[in-house]
Amino acid sequence: MDPGELLALLQRRTGFTEAHAALLKGLGQVMTPIAPEVALAFYDYLGRDEELAGILYAVPGRVERLYRTFAQWYSELFSGVYDRPYAERRRRVGLVHARLGVGPRAMIPAMGIVQELSLEHLRLVLRGPEVYSAVEAFEKIIAIEIALVEESYLEALSLGLALGYRDLGEALREGASALLSRA
């Protein structure tokens, strides 16, 4: 499915509105400063897994580059702009992960770390009833994020299987490589 159309579908299904987008944009000033802390916890979590650590440290400088990429991604959560280019960037993130062999069983639990730390921070910095609407908006954008990346995994896996790869990991990696080479 076209990333822009998928985003619109996910926004409808989650009930994500312009009010949620505006709220997230307003939260940016209190949330984006914690990006380094969230990135540290995220990559620490991944680095404790032998398979994922092998991927993270396979290339010198990769983790340092990923910290910068993570900060950019995290700030986009609070940009207030959720359009076709946003969805296309998320598709690419998923395809790059898939090409490296980082599939949904790694990505979804790691996103739990992002959620946990972000929600904890929201609860600390917001007072009163505004915390509920902030948590709602954040939960909706995280659900959309996960669904966008998941869809790219499915796209890659489907192509990999169509190309004749029978091992699911190999089909995911090769399908993603083929899709990225077309872009």
Side-chain angles (χ1 to χ4, degrees):
M1 178 178 263
D2 171 78
E5 291 173 16
L6 176 59
L7 176 61
L9 173 67
L10 294 170
Q11 288 171 328
R12 283 192 311 275
R13 287 186 174 167
T14 61
F16 188 84
T17 66
E18 288 300 318
H20 293 115
L23 180 56
L24 287 168
K25 183 175 183 173
L27 290 170
Q29 63 187 338
V30 297
M31 295 304 290
T32 56
I34 70 163
E37 176 186 340
V38 178
L40 184 62
F42 183 81
Y43 290 112
D44 178 63
Y45 168 81
L46 294 175
R48 288 182 297 208
D49 181 280
E50 188 176 330
E51 176 187 356
L52 299 173
I55 295 168
L56 283 173
Y57 298 103
V59 176
R62 176 180 280 166
V63 174
E64 292 78 12
R65 191 180 76 254
L66 289 171
Y67 275 99
R68 289 188 303 276
T69 304
F70 184 96
Q72 174 65 35
W73 168 80
Y74 195 77
S75 70
E76 286 183 5
L77 287 177
F78 302 99
S79 69
V81 179
Y82 312 100
D83 54 8
R84 178 181 303 278
Y86 169 87
E88 289 169 352
R89 286 190 301 276
R90 293 321 183 260
R91 177 181 179 264
R92 181 166 174 72
V93 165
L95 292 175
V96 169
H97 284 143
R99 181 182 64 194
L100 293 172
V102 179
R105 62 183 170 211
M107 185 272 297
I108 293 173
M111 285 296 286
I113 300 295
V114 172
Q115 270 182 292
E116 181 181 331
L117 293 175
S118 299
L119 291 172
E120 181 181 319
H121 187 69
L122 280 173
R123 289 184 196 108
L124 289 173
V125 299
L126 298 178
R127 300 287 182 248
E130 70 266 15
V131 74
Y132 298 110
S133 56
V135 167
E136 177 185 324
F138 182 74
E139 291 287 341
K140 288 179 186 294
I141 199 60
I142 289 295
I144 289 169
E145 286 278 328
I146 291 170
L148 287 168
V149 172
E150 272 292 305
E151 191 72 21
S152 68
Y153 288 148
L154 293 172
E155 183 183 6
L157 182 59
S158 178
L159 179 57
L161 291 170
L163 291 172
Y165 296 97
R166 292 295 157 234
D167 174 78
L168 294 181
E170 188 176 21
L172 181 67
R173 288 187 303 276
E174 294 302 326
S177 291
L179 289 166
L180 286 166
S181 70
R182 293 177 185 173

